[in-house]
Amino acid sequence: MAWPSFLVASVATMVCFGFIDPVLSATTITRHRPSRRALTGYAVGFFFFWLIAALSSLMSLYLVRTAKSRTGRRGD
């Protein structure tokens, strides 16, 4: 579950930050040179995508296991 979600988060981060630059957006908001806080936008975005992908993987595993347990019963 961890590796697939990591790979999906990596691709999502590349696609998202190909269109959005957190350093540029933070510079526009604060009107100052980008600081370390502005650069943490990349890390926060990556971990957000990783969390979403991990939750999606967990939900898939849960649904597959509950479907197997329901179809495995005979005589109900």
Side-chain angles (χ1 to χ4, degrees):
M1 177 200 70
W3 278 110
S5 61
F6 178 83
L7 296 175
V8 168
S10 299
V11 172
T13 302
M14 286 185 273
V15 170
C16 177
F17 293 133
F19 294 107
I20 300 169
D21 186 7
V23 174
L24 181 62
S25 61
T27 306
T28 304
I29 293 169
T30 62
R31 307 255 193 259
H32 299 299
R33 281 185 40 200
S35 64
R36 285 188 181 256
R37 278 192 208 160
L39 297 175
T40 59
Y42 291 105
V44 169
F46 173 76
F47 285 116
F48 172 74
F49 289 131
W50 197 0
L51 175 68
I52 296 299
L55 290 174
S56 173
S57 296
L58 282 172
M59 181 61 85
S60 297
L61 285 174
Y62 172 75
L63 291 174
V64 167
R65 289 183 182 181
T66 56
K68 284 183 181 178
S69 66
R70 286 185 181 178
T71 59
R73 295 181 196 163
R74 302 250 177 192
D76 286 341

XYZ file of all heavy atoms in Angstrom:
595
model
N 0.814 -1.183 0.000
C 0.000 0.000 0.000
C 0.868 1.261 0.000
O 0.492 2.258 -0.592
C -0.928 -0.008 1.211
C -1.748 1.239 1.285
S -2.440 1.611 2.882
C -1.029 2.048 3.824
N 2.006 1.224 0.634
C 2.822 2.435 0.743
C 3.503 2.791 -0.576
O 3.532 3.964 -0.958
C 3.859 2.271 1.840
N 4.033 1.797 -1.283
C 4.740 2.105 -2.522
C 3.823 2.603 -3.631
O 4.150 3.592 -4.289
C 5.561 0.905 -3.005
C 6.872 0.831 -2.304
C 7.257 -0.096 -1.395
C 7.968 1.743 -2.418
N 8.518 0.182 -0.941
C 8.981 1.305 -1.550
C 8.186 2.893 -3.160
C 10.181 1.976 -1.427
C 9.394 3.552 -3.033
C 10.373 3.089 -2.173
N 2.675 1.959 -3.872
C 1.802 2.509 -4.917
C 1.336 3.935 -4.603
O 1.296 4.789 -5.495
C 0.617 1.546 -4.955
C 1.143 0.279 -4.406
C 2.174 0.671 -3.394
N 1.002 4.193 -3.350
C 0.556 5.546 -3.010
C 1.701 6.545 -3.126
O 1.491 7.698 -3.505
C -0.052 5.572 -1.609
O 0.881 5.187 -0.631
N 2.925 6.128 -2.819
C 4.093 7.001 -2.974
C 4.311 7.356 -4.441
O 4.561 8.517 -4.782
C 5.340 6.312 -2.411
C 6.602 7.108 -2.575
C 6.920 8.105 -1.671
C 7.466 6.861 -3.624
C 8.086 8.853 -1.812
C 8.627 7.594 -3.785
C 8.942 8.592 -2.872
N 4.203 6.364 -5.314
C 4.400 6.610 -6.740
C 3.305 7.505 -7.314
O 3.576 8.399 -8.120
C 4.477 5.283 -7.495
C 5.675 4.406 -7.131
C 5.578 3.063 -7.839
C 6.978 5.099 -7.459
N 2.071 7.272 -6.890
C 0.975 8.127 -7.349
C 1.172 9.555 -6.849
O 0.948 10.520 -7.581
C -0.380 7.549 -6.889
C -1.505 8.550 -7.092
C -0.676 6.267 -7.634
N 1.592 9.711 -5.610
C 1.844 11.049 -5.063
C 2.976 11.742 -5.809
O 2.917 12.956 -6.033
C 2.161 10.961 -3.578
N 3.983 10.991 -6.212
C 5.086 11.585 -6.970
C 4.609 12.129 -8.310
O 4.942 13.253 -8.694
C 6.184 10.544 -7.204
O 6.695 10.089 -5.983
N 3.816 11.341 -9.010
C 3.301 11.792 -10.309
C 2.351 12.974 -10.127
O 2.413 13.957 -10.870
C 2.614 10.626 -11.041
C 1.898 11.101 -12.283
C 3.632 9.549 -11.399
N 1.476 12.892 -9.123
C 0.530 13.985 -8.882
C 1.260 15.280 -8.522
O 0.850 16.365 -8.945
C -0.440 13.605 -7.769
N 2.334 15.172 -7.769
C 3.119 16.352 -7.408
C 3.765 16.968 -8.641
O 3.744 18.193 -8.815
C 4.196 15.983 -6.373
O 3.557 15.438 -5.230
C 5.009 17.185 -5.964
N 4.314 16.125 -9.505
C 4.940 16.651 -10.723
C 3.915 17.344 -11.608
O 4.177 18.420 -12.148
C 5.632 15.525 -11.485
C 6.911 15.054 -10.848
S 7.769 13.830 -11.849
C 6.988 12.328 -11.308
N 2.749 16.743 -11.754
C 1.720 17.340 -12.607
C 1.192 18.637 -11.990
O 1.078 19.664 -12.670
C 0.571 16.339 -12.846
C -0.611 17.000 -13.512
C 1.058 15.162 -13.673
N 0.888 18.598 -10.708
C 0.325 19.771 -10.039
C 1.302 20.940 -10.045
O 0.942 22.060 -10.427
C -0.063 19.419 -8.610
S -0.686 20.828 -7.674
N 2.527 20.689 -9.648
C 3.492 21.777 -9.552
C 4.120 22.108 -10.899
O 4.930 23.025 -11.001
C 4.539 21.473 -8.496
C 3.951 21.458 -7.111
C 4.236 20.429 -6.232
C 3.094 22.454 -6.694
C 3.691 20.404 -4.963
C 2.534 22.444 -5.430
C 2.842 21.416 -4.565
N 3.746 21.380 -11.938
C 4.077 21.804 -13.290
C 3.230 22.998 -13.700
O 3.628 23.807 -14.532
N 2.035 23.109 -13.117
C 1.127 24.209 -13.412
C 1.147 25.303 -12.347
O 0.907 26.464 -12.639
C -0.309 23.693 -13.552
C -0.499 22.802 -14.741
C -0.651 21.446 -14.581
C -0.507 23.331 -16.021
C -0.827 20.621 -15.685
C -0.684 22.524 -17.131
C -0.841 21.157 -16.958
N 1.392 24.921 -11.102
C 1.355 25.869 -9.982
C 2.739 25.931 -9.346
O 3.308 24.899 -8.998
C 0.341 25.420 -8.916
C -1.059 25.337 -9.523
C 0.353 26.363 -7.726
C -2.057 24.658 -8.622
N 3.253 27.120 -9.157
C 4.544 27.302 -8.503
C 4.309 27.885 -7.113
O 3.925 29.054 -6.984
C 5.419 28.239 -9.320
C 6.827 28.365 -8.774
O 7.165 27.617 -7.831
O 7.584 29.204 -9.284
N 4.507 27.093 -6.037
C 4.268 27.618 -4.693
C 5.172 28.790 -4.328
O 4.766 29.681 -3.588
C 4.528 26.436 -3.763
C 4.755 25.260 -4.591
C 4.902 25.700 -6.006
N 6.375 28.807 -4.845
C 7.280 29.914 -4.548
C 6.747 31.199 -5.170
O 6.713 32.251 -4.530
C 8.702 29.605 -5.059
C 9.611 30.806 -4.877
C 9.270 28.399 -4.355
N 6.278 31.112 -6.399
C 5.742 32.297 -7.067
C 4.459 32.776 -6.397
O 4.268 33.967 -6.198
C 5.487 31.999 -8.537
C 4.953 33.150 -9.385
C 5.962 34.292 -9.407
C 4.645 32.658 -10.776
N 3.588 31.843 -6.015
C 2.340 32.251 -5.366
C 2.608 32.850 -3.983
O 1.966 33.816 -3.592
C 1.372 31.082 -5.262
O 1.923 30.046 -4.493
N 3.554 32.314 -3.236
C 3.887 32.885 -1.925
C 4.540 34.252 -2.083
O 4.310 35.151 -1.277
C 4.807 31.943 -1.161
N 5.334 34.423 -3.124
C 5.962 35.718 -3.373
C 4.908 36.754 -3.751
O 4.989 37.913 -3.341
C 7.007 35.592 -4.503
O 7.913 34.554 -4.171
C 7.775 36.881 -4.686
N 3.905 36.348 -4.511
C 2.833 37.261 -4.906
C 2.023 37.698 -3.695
O 1.639 38.864 -3.581
C 1.904 36.581 -5.932
O 2.693 36.134 -7.031
C 0.839 37.529 -6.420
N 1.764 36.787 -2.773
C 0.949 37.102 -1.600
C 1.709 38.008 -0.633
O 1.181 38.995 -0.135
C 0.487 35.812 -0.900
C -0.484 35.059 -1.810
C -0.155 36.111 0.443
C -0.795 33.664 -1.342
N 2.968 37.680 -0.353
C 3.722 38.415 0.667
C 4.524 39.587 0.111
O 4.996 40.419 0.877
C 4.694 37.476 1.403
O 5.630 36.948 0.457
C 3.957 36.362 2.099
N 4.726 39.635 -1.200
C 5.499 40.698 -1.868
C 6.962 40.755 -1.412
O 7.596 41.792 -1.443
C 4.860 42.062 -1.661
C 3.419 42.144 -2.025
C 3.268 42.890 -3.328
N 1.879 43.252 -3.565
C 1.089 42.585 -4.397
N 1.540 41.541 -5.024
N -0.150 42.965 -4.594
N 7.475 39.639 -0.919
C 8.875 39.556 -0.502
C 9.541 38.419 -1.251
O 8.901 37.636 -1.926
C 8.992 39.295 1.002
C 8.382 40.364 1.843
N 8.812 41.676 1.827
C 7.371 40.331 2.728
C 8.098 42.390 2.668
N 7.206 41.594 3.230
N 10.846 38.336 -1.067
C 11.563 37.196 -1.632
C 11.048 35.917 -0.996
O 10.642 35.913 0.158
C 13.058 37.320 -1.334
C 13.751 38.291 -2.260
C 15.223 38.313 -2.049
N 15.742 36.971 -1.826
C 16.902 36.716 -1.242
N 17.645 37.703 -0.807
N 17.323 35.496 -1.085
N 11.084 34.812 -1.740
C 10.596 33.555 -1.168
C 11.437 33.113 0.024
O 12.661 33.184 0.008
C 10.714 32.555 -2.307
C 11.535 33.188 -3.343
C 11.518 34.664 -3.111
N 10.768 32.702 1.058
C 11.459 32.242 2.248
C 11.378 30.718 2.306
O 10.848 30.072 1.415
C 10.809 32.842 3.491
O 9.481 32.379 3.601
N 11.882 30.163 3.392
C 11.802 28.707 3.571
C 10.357 28.250 3.689
O 10.013 27.159 3.289
C 12.583 28.275 4.808
C 14.071 28.306 4.592
C 14.758 27.675 5.793
N 16.167 27.706 5.623
C 16.890 26.648 5.284
N 16.295 25.499 5.095
N 18.181 26.744 5.147
N 9.498 29.079 4.251
C 8.084 28.712 4.355
C 7.454 28.551 2.985
O 6.632 27.681 2.768
C 7.317 29.766 5.141
C 7.431 29.601 6.604
C 6.419 30.483 7.281
N 6.959 30.825 8.582
C 6.578 31.827 9.302
N 5.641 32.627 8.854
N 7.100 32.052 10.468
N 7.826 29.419 2.067
C 7.281 29.321 0.714
C 7.746 28.036 0.039
O 6.994 27.406 -0.696
C 7.701 30.530 -0.101
N 8.972 27.640 0.314
C 9.504 26.425 -0.295
C 8.910 25.155 0.301
O 8.978 24.094 -0.313
C 11.030 26.403 -0.170
C 11.748 27.535 -0.892
C 13.238 27.479 -0.596
C 11.496 27.470 -2.382
N 8.319 25.235 1.474
C 7.700 24.052 2.062
C 6.389 23.696 1.370
O 5.829 22.631 1.630
C 7.431 24.246 3.567
O 6.577 25.374 3.741
C 8.707 24.425 4.339
N 5.908 24.547 0.488
C 4.700 24.236 -0.268
C 4.833 22.956 -1.066
O 3.884 22.191 -1.213
N 6.018 22.697 -1.586
C 6.250 21.462 -2.330
C 6.109 20.239 -1.425
O 5.488 19.248 -1.799
C 7.646 21.468 -2.962
C 7.809 22.463 -4.078
C 8.520 23.635 -3.879
C 7.242 22.225 -5.318
C 8.685 24.551 -4.903
C 7.396 23.134 -6.349
C 8.119 24.297 -6.134
O 8.269 25.206 -7.143
N 6.686 20.300 -0.250
C 6.623 19.167 0.678
C 5.200 18.943 1.172
O 4.720 17.804 1.235
C 7.559 19.389 1.858
N 4.512 20.019 1.511
C 3.134 19.903 1.989
C 2.249 19.318 0.891
O 1.416 18.436 1.145
C 2.610 21.269 2.464
C 1.121 21.231 2.718
C 3.357 21.725 3.705
N 2.436 19.784 -0.328
C 1.664 19.252 -1.446
C 1.929 17.779 -1.669
O 1.001 16.990 -1.892
N 3.194 17.381 -1.610
C 3.529 15.968 -1.806
C 2.887 15.099 -0.731
O 2.289 14.064 -1.039
C 5.046 15.772 -1.789
C 5.432 14.316 -1.810
C 5.350 13.593 -2.973
C 5.857 13.679 -0.652
C 5.686 12.247 -2.995
C 6.184 12.347 -0.658
C 6.114 11.628 -1.843
N 2.997 15.509 0.533
C 2.408 14.692 1.599
C 0.883 14.685 1.546
O 0.245 13.692 1.900
C 2.912 15.149 2.967
C 4.330 14.717 3.224
C 5.335 15.659 3.383
C 4.665 13.380 3.287
C 6.645 15.265 3.597
C 5.968 12.967 3.505
C 6.960 13.919 3.658
N 0.274 15.758 1.071
C -1.178 15.766 0.868
C -1.566 14.742 -0.190
O -2.491 13.945 0.013
C -1.638 17.166 0.456
C -3.081 17.210 0.048
C -4.078 17.137 1.000
C -3.423 17.317 -1.287
C -5.419 17.165 0.627
C -4.747 17.351 -1.665
C -5.747 17.272 -0.711
N -0.858 14.752 -1.317
C -1.159 13.775 -2.366
C -0.893 12.347 -1.891
O -1.619 11.418 -2.236
C -0.349 14.064 -3.627
C -0.791 15.294 -4.357
C 0.127 16.248 -4.747
C -2.123 15.499 -4.662
C -0.273 17.386 -5.426
C -2.543 16.624 -5.338
C -1.613 17.575 -5.714
N 0.149 12.162 -1.084
C 0.464 10.835 -0.574
C -0.642 10.350 0.366
O -1.051 9.194 0.320
C 1.803 10.860 0.139
C 2.427 9.509 0.362
C 1.935 8.291 0.001
C 3.683 9.239 0.982
N 2.799 7.295 0.347
C 3.876 7.855 0.958
C 4.648 10.047 1.559
C 5.005 7.252 1.495
C 5.776 9.439 2.084
C 5.954 8.058 2.049
N -1.139 11.227 1.200
C -2.226 10.867 2.108
C -3.483 10.484 1.335
O -4.125 9.468 1.637
C -2.527 12.035 3.050
C -3.716 11.845 3.987
C -3.417 10.763 5.021
C -4.065 13.148 4.653
N -3.837 11.260 0.333
C -5.021 10.961 -0.471
C -4.860 9.619 -1.188
O -5.782 8.798 -1.221
C -5.280 12.100 -1.484
C -5.597 13.388 -0.757
C -6.384 11.727 -2.461
C -6.829 13.326 0.116
N -3.696 9.361 -1.754
C -3.464 8.094 -2.455
C -3.469 6.914 -1.486
O -3.980 5.836 -1.806
C -2.146 8.144 -3.219
N -2.917 7.093 -0.289
C -2.921 6.022 0.709
C -4.339 5.723 1.176
O -4.718 4.553 1.342
C -2.041 6.399 1.897
N -5.141 6.753 1.384
C -6.538 6.535 1.770
C -7.307 5.819 0.669
O -8.149 4.955 0.945
C -7.209 7.861 2.118
C -6.731 8.524 3.406
C -7.376 9.897 3.558
C -7.028 7.659 4.602
N -7.015 6.146 -0.569
C -7.652 5.466 -1.694
C -7.255 3.987 -1.733
O -8.101 3.118 -1.956
C -7.250 6.147 -2.999
O -7.726 5.424 -4.095
N -5.992 3.696 -1.483
C -5.538 2.302 -1.456
C -6.176 1.536 -0.306
O -6.595 0.386 -0.467
C -4.017 2.236 -1.325
O -3.408 2.793 -2.449
N -6.251 2.162 0.846
C -6.889 1.510 1.996
C -8.367 1.227 1.739
O -8.871 0.157 2.095
C -6.734 2.372 3.245
C -5.386 2.323 3.924
C -5.324 3.370 5.033
C -5.120 0.954 4.491
N -9.045 2.169 1.123
C -10.461 1.966 0.808
C -10.640 0.824 -0.193
O -11.555 0.010 -0.060
C -11.064 3.251 0.256
C -12.534 3.135 -0.062
S -13.532 2.732 1.375
C -13.783 4.337 2.036
N -9.760 0.741 -1.169
C -9.829 -0.355 -2.141
C -9.620 -1.700 -1.458
O -10.343 -2.664 -1.728
C -8.787 -0.168 -3.238
O -9.046 0.999 -3.965
N -8.614 -1.782 -0.580
C -8.369 -3.029 0.147
C -9.570 -3.408 1.015
O -9.969 -4.573 1.071
C -7.125 -2.899 1.028
C -5.789 -2.941 0.318
C -4.670 -2.641 1.307
C -5.573 -4.296 -0.320
N -10.146 -2.451 1.675
C -11.303 -2.702 2.528
C -12.480 -3.227 1.705
O -13.140 -4.197 2.095
C -11.696 -1.421 3.269
C -12.990 -1.550 4.026
C -13.040 -2.263 5.220
C -14.155 -0.980 3.532
C -14.231 -2.391 5.913
C -15.341 -1.091 4.215
C -15.380 -1.810 5.402
O -16.562 -1.946 6.073
N -12.745 -2.592 0.573
C -13.869 -3.011 -0.248
C -13.668 -4.404 -0.835
O -14.612 -5.191 -0.923
C -14.125 -1.990 -1.357
C -14.660 -0.644 -0.888
C -14.723 0.328 -2.051
C -16.016 -0.803 -0.241
N -12.456 -4.730 -1.236
C -12.180 -6.065 -1.780
C -12.348 -7.117 -0.695
O -12.949 -8.174 -0.923
C -10.760 -6.119 -2.389
C -10.330 -7.543 -2.660
C -10.718 -5.301 -3.661
N -11.856 -6.857 0.490
C -11.967 -7.843 1.573
C -13.410 -8.028 2.029
O -13.824 -9.137 2.329
C -11.085 -7.442 2.750
C -9.633 -7.621 2.415
C -8.745 -7.298 3.570
N -7.354 -7.444 3.157
C -6.338 -7.245 3.938
N -6.525 -6.856 5.184
N -5.120 -7.394 3.488
N -14.184 -6.967 2.107
C -15.573 -7.122 2.521
C -16.396 -7.795 1.436
O -17.324 -8.539 1.734
C -16.208 -5.773 2.888
O -16.086 -4.871 1.790
C -15.560 -5.186 4.126
N -16.066 -7.575 0.169
C -16.786 -8.242 -0.920
C -16.491 -9.738 -0.909
O -17.381 -10.556 -1.133
C -16.397 -7.637 -2.261
N -15.246 -10.131 -0.624
C -14.898 -11.546 -0.562
C -15.599 -12.226 0.605
O -16.043 -13.355 0.498
C -13.387 -11.724 -0.432
C -12.636 -11.505 -1.706
C -11.166 -11.780 -1.499
C -10.386 -11.534 -2.768
N -8.957 -11.755 -2.582
N -15.684 -11.540 1.735
C -16.319 -12.164 2.894
C -17.825 -12.327 2.679
O -18.423 -13.264 3.172
C -16.041 -11.369 4.168
O -16.667 -10.115 4.098
N -18.431 -11.442 1.932
C -19.874 -11.563 1.664
C -20.166 -12.655 0.654
O -21.142 -13.366 0.766
C -20.429 -10.243 1.156
C -20.550 -9.227 2.234
C -21.207 -7.987 1.725
N -21.280 -7.002 2.790
C -21.767 -5.808 2.642
N -22.249 -5.444 1.468
N -21.798 -4.969 3.649
N -19.335 -12.800 -0.365
C -19.579 -13.806 -1.379
C -19.111 -15.187 -0.924
O -19.513 -16.181 -1.497
C -18.883 -13.449 -2.700
O -17.482 -13.338 -2.470
C -19.438 -12.164 -3.275
N -18.288 -15.256 0.098
C -17.765 -16.531 0.586
C -18.758 -17.299 1.436
O -18.594 -18.491 1.676
N -19.815 -16.685 1.894
C -20.800 -17.355 2.743
C -21.757 -18.177 1.889
O -22.263 -17.716 0.867
C -21.605 -16.343 3.535
C -20.778 -15.571 4.514
C -21.650 -14.615 5.283
N -20.830 -13.621 5.942
C -21.286 -12.497 6.413
N -22.557 -12.214 6.318
N -20.484 -11.649 6.991
N -22.034 -19.370 2.324
C -22.986 -20.225 1.624
C -24.107 -20.585 2.581
O -23.887 -20.759 3.785
C -22.312 -21.509 1.153
C -21.132 -21.250 0.245
C -21.458 -21.653 -1.109
N -20.320 -21.313 -1.962
C -20.397 -21.338 -3.231
N -21.506 -21.709 -3.810
N -19.372 -21.017 -3.971
N -25.297 -20.678 2.062
C -26.415 -21.119 2.893
C -27.128 -20.014 3.637
O -27.967 -20.283 4.485
N -26.817 -18.763 3.329
C -27.507 -17.650 4.013
C -28.774 -17.282 3.284
O -28.961 -17.301 2.173
C -26.621 -16.408 4.099
C -25.527 -16.606 5.138
O -25.676 -17.486 5.982
O -24.538 -15.865 5.077
